[in-house]
Amino acid sequence: MLSDIDIANNATPFKISKIAKKLNLTDEDIEPYGHYKAKLSASCLKNLTKNPNARLILVTALTPTPAGEGKSTVSIGLADALSSLKYKTALSLREPSLGPCFGVKGGACGGGYSQIIPMDEINLNFTGDIHAVTAANNLLAAMLDNHIKQKNRLGIQKIYFKRCLDMNDRVLRQIRTGMGGKKNGSPRTDGFNITAASEIMAILCLAENLTDLKRRLGNIVIAENKNGLPVTAKDIRADGAMTAILKNALCPNLVQTLEHTPAFVHGGPFANIAHGTSSVIAARAALSLADYVVTEAGFGADLGAEKFFDIFSRTSGIYPDAVVLVATIRALKMHGRVRKEHLGVENLNAITEGFANLRAHINNIKKFNRTPIVALNLFSTDTPKEIEHTLSLLKKENVQAVISEGWAKGSNGCKNLAKTVIKSINLNLNENKLLYEDKASLKEKIRKLAKEIYNADAVSFSSLADKNILKFTRWGFGNLPICMAKTQNSISHDKTLLGAPSHYIFPITDIRLSAGAGFIVAYSGEINTMPGLPPVPAAEKIDVDENGTITGLF
């Protein structure tokens, strides 16, 4: 059996100018990065007009196994299937982070015969957007420390802003900086975030244009002064230089699938510690240039889909017209308490028990006035009895369920899914709905999330969380939406609570402000914004031969 990268390496991609023409883009509308990838030009973005007939399809999932359930693979297979049915289609996906690529999950370009290419370049350095976010972030951190060193005219006493790196490196979670005497600054305890968790990554993905990007960057609250008031990036005059670094990164990247469907790949916030969605600019571009756009939201619907509605849609006004909920039999068995080594063994009882997790996510999507279409993404270990049993359980939930085989068959494995999605959109153009109102207090919003989405009985707030809620509300940020930072391995805050946990207290340990991005980050349970590598990192399997061909990437 060919590996993902073998399939990608054997592909025959079109020149990127030919992909652009599928969207009626000219050579002047794109800025090529080699033969097979490009950025939309700034002038093209300014001249795009809204396509009133365009429809957005959001792909989300149940609570995944650590390896993931093929959400990107289904997204790509669905887009290819729509294209093969002669619909003008585009993808809007996130850029992969080097952290997961070298860690547990591997890359994020789909898999099998539903991939975006050039897979190796997209997964590694691509067009440099993530490196630009890292540079802009660390410029701000350097200017903040320099301001304090050079007389501290703003009276900064408490620092909020951290440096970042696009790599899993647990030793950077807590460090001592400014060591070596007065010439090196004042010693303090600090730490790094992974770049995907940087507020600047969120800002890049939520900004509407260059002017909005600069405004948001200037609004980043980096510190607190001696009077207990916020200090921003604009206060230390860092916003202009940061915008200059990010000017090119703001333009969406254009690549293609194995079947030559146009794909915008732009921005990369995680969903467990950030808002988990590709950029507003990429989505708007895709919706201007295509009739059907497929996008995705990270991890399970309790994280990615909820944030898509309550942050992305609330901010941009872009709402999905249909929602596809990816499920797998192996994930259902995991939630039915089957150990990893036994997930390939037929077990109908475990599927029945684990189905509670999928049911919870179906009900969560319905709270946003959308009834999801469940895509049952098949794996080679799934048996006919397990497939039939799962479909029978879904039938009782009164949702449409379609088998997805994009990994093995490409567009041919997702045509029934595509036809079902088109029919659903034509029949169900529902009114848009959010979980909570802007005017609700921060605590009210968090309680609503915990009870409605995470199925908790109540919420507990640490003294630190209470203190920060009061402070940020006093500063005028009480109207912002909530971005929950919690485990992706459970609907709850506790990764060991599988299925659909209930009758528990949801703990809020900390509250942090992302004023530039425009949301409040609430932390629950054991969550790190700088991941670590596993015992056997994926990086150990990656190599390159004398011809420059990369192997081991997945």
Side-chain angles (χ1 to χ4, degrees):
M1 182 183 293
L2 292 175
S3 68
D4 290 348
I5 195 165
D6 289 334
I7 293 170
N9 286 338
N10 290 333
T12 305
F14 288 170
K15 293 290 181 67
I16 198 62
S17 57
K18 188 173 182 179
I19 298 299
K21 287 177 182 176
K22 289 191 169 194
L23 298 174
N24 299 326
L25 294 169
T26 68
D27 289 345
E28 287 69 37
D29 291 325
I30 61 172
E31 297 178 356
Y33 280 59
H35 296 301
Y36 306 115
K37 54 187 189 290
K39 279 188 170 289
L40 290 189
S41 67
S43 59
C44 172
L45 291 171
K46 288 181 180 178
N47 293 326
L48 291 177
T49 56
K50 183 178 180 182
N51 174 4
N53 298 316
R55 296 290 179 257
L56 182 65
I57 303 157
L58 173 66
V59 179
T60 185
L62 81 176
T63 303
T65 64
E69 306 319 303
K71 193 164 60 272
S72 297
T73 301
V74 172
S75 299
I76 296 163
L78 172 58
D80 280 338
L82 288 165
S83 185
S84 73
L85 293 170
K86 308 305 180 184
Y87 294 106
K88 192 176 182 182
T89 307
L91 278 156
S92 180
L93 303 176
R94 290 175 296 166
E95 296 181 47
S97 163
L98 292 178
C101 187
F102 295 142
V104 175
K105 291 192 68 175
C109 290
Y113 291 92
S114 292
Q115 292 190 56
I116 47 174
I117 53 174
M119 180 261 222
D120 55 345
E121 295 179 27
I122 296 169
N123 273 315
L124 298 177
N125 295 307
F126 202 18
T127 59
D129 293 349
I130 295 181
H131 299 304
V133 171
T134 303
N137 183 105
N138 293 342
L139 170 65
L140 178 55
M143 290 183 70
L144 171 58
D145 280 321
N146 184 63
H147 177 91
I148 295 170
K149 167 69 176 173
Q150 307 294 345
K151 298 184 179 179
N152 193 11
R153 61 180 175 80
L154 293 175
I156 292 171
Q157 281 193 339
K158 185 176 182 179
I159 294 174
Y160 292 129
F161 197 77
K162 292 185 176 184
R163 288 167 170 81
C164 73
L165 183 72
D166 187 34
M167 196 65 63
N168 290 2
D169 194 349
R170 62 174 54 83
V171 302
L172 295 178
R173 289 172 183 166
Q174 191 171 46
I175 61 174
R176 291 286 290 172
T177 64
M179 306 299 289
K182 189 175 181 180
K183 64 180 181 179
N184 294 331
S186 302
R188 73 171 190 274
T189 299
D190 206 337
F192 276 66
N193 294 322
I194 192 167
T195 301
S198 166
E199 182 179 354
I200 295 173
M201 177 63 83
I203 288 172
L204 181 77
C205 290
L206 293 171
E208 292 281 355
N209 49 47
L210 196 63
T211 301
D212 189 41
L213 175 68
K214 183 177 178 180
R215 178 189 67 82
R216 288 173 176 273
L217 291 171
N219 287 343
I220 297 173
V221 173
I222 56 176
E224 185 176 325
N225 67 18
K226 60 185 178 183
N227 296 319
L229 297 175
V231 178
T232 67
K234 187 175 182 179
D235 291 333
I236 63 168
R237 302 178 67 181
D239 51 330
M242 293 163 66
T243 306
I245 291 175
L246 293 168
K247 179 174 73 74
N248 290 336
L250 190 65
C251 297
N253 308 296
L254 178 65
V255 289
Q256 63 190 290
T257 70
L258 289 173
E259 299 187 26
H260 315 300
T261 301
F264 292 103
V265 179
H266 193 223
F270 292 164
N272 60 338
I273 48 183
H275 72 280
T277 309
S278 182
S279 74
V280 168
I281 289 180
R284 286 205 194 285
L287 288 166
S288 297
L289 297 166
D291 294 325
Y292 290 94
V293 176
V294 181
T295 191
E296 67 173 21
F299 296 120
D302 59 310
L303 284 167
E306 182 275 317
K307 292 174 182 177
F308 192 96
F309 281 97
D310 282 326
I311 295 177
F312 184 92
S313 296
R314 186 189 301 267
T315 299
S316 66
I318 300 172
Y319 289 81
D321 298 288
V323 178
V324 173
L325 182 59
V326 177
T328 64
I329 287 170
R330 68 174 189 173
L332 293 175
K333 288 193 283 192
M334 179 192 76
H335 288 289
R337 309 291 173 178
V338 172
R339 294 172 64 90
K340 178 182 177 181
E341 59 269 26
H342 297 140
L343 289 179
V345 179
E346 186 175 271
N347 192 327
L348 303 187
N349 290 332
I351 291 172
T352 302
E353 183 178 347
F355 192 81
N357 182 271
L358 180 54
R359 182 186 296 114
H361 287 296
I362 291 170
N363 290 332
N364 282 343
I365 296 299
K366 289 180 178 180
K367 288 168 184 172
F368 297 99
N369 215 20
R370 299 290 188 274
T371 299
I373 298 160
V374 176
L376 185 60
N377 193 30
L378 296 190
F379 283 73
S380 59
T381 55
D382 300 338
T383 70
K385 283 185 178 179
E386 289 178 327
I387 296 169
E388 182 182 358
H389 182 62
T390 304
L391 292 175
S392 69
L393 292 173
L394 284 163
K395 187 175 182 180
K396 294 176 184 177
E397 296 300 316
N398 198 28
V399 295
Q400 296 181 84
V402 185
I403 288 175
S404 174
E405 297 181 274
W407 191 96
K409 300 178 181 179
S411 62
N412 286 332
C414 291
K415 281 188 177 177
N416 286 338
L417 176 61
K419 292 174 182 177
T420 303
V421 168
I422 293 292
K423 185 177 180 181
S424 171
I425 290 174
N426 292 336
L427 292 177
N428 299 297
L429 293 177
N430 294 327
E431 182 181 346
N432 298 320
K433 183 180 178 182
L434 299 173
L435 191 68
Y436 50 78
E437 296 182 358
D438 291 338
K439 65 183 180 181
S441 71
L442 296 178
K443 281 194 171 183
E444 286 172 338
K445 293 169 185 173
I446 291 169
R447 289 191 179 104
K448 186 89 170 178
L449 266 173
K451 293 182 179 181
E452 294 283 333
I453 304 298
Y454 312 141
N455 205 24
D457 281 347
V459 179
S460 65
F461 294 88
S462 70
S463 58
L464 176 61
D466 275 332
K467 178 182 176 182
N468 285 339
I469 285 172
L470 289 172
K471 179 192 297 182
F472 299 150
T473 301
R474 175 167 51 86
W475 286 354
F477 298 110
N479 63 321
L480 296 183
I482 301 298
C483 181
M484 189 64 68
K486 75 171 191 71
T487 182
Q488 70 271 21
N489 300 123
S490 172
I491 290 175
S492 75
H493 66 288
D494 183 348
K495 65 182 180 181
T496 66
L497 298 179
L498 300 176
S502 60
H503 304 299
Y504 70 97
I505 305 297
F506 191 82
I508 299 297
T509 55
D510 195 7
I511 298 287
R512 299 178 193 175
L513 173 64
S514 291
F519 53 68
I520 296 287
V521 184
Y523 288 77
S524 182
E526 296 181 7
I527 188 74
N528 285 305
T529 54
M530 171 52 81
L533 290 170
V536 182
E540 292 185 10
K541 301 174 184 176
I542 297 172
D543 203 353
V544 58
D545 66 18
E546 64 274 10
N547 297 316
T549 302
I550 294 174
T551 58
L553 190 62
F554 67 95

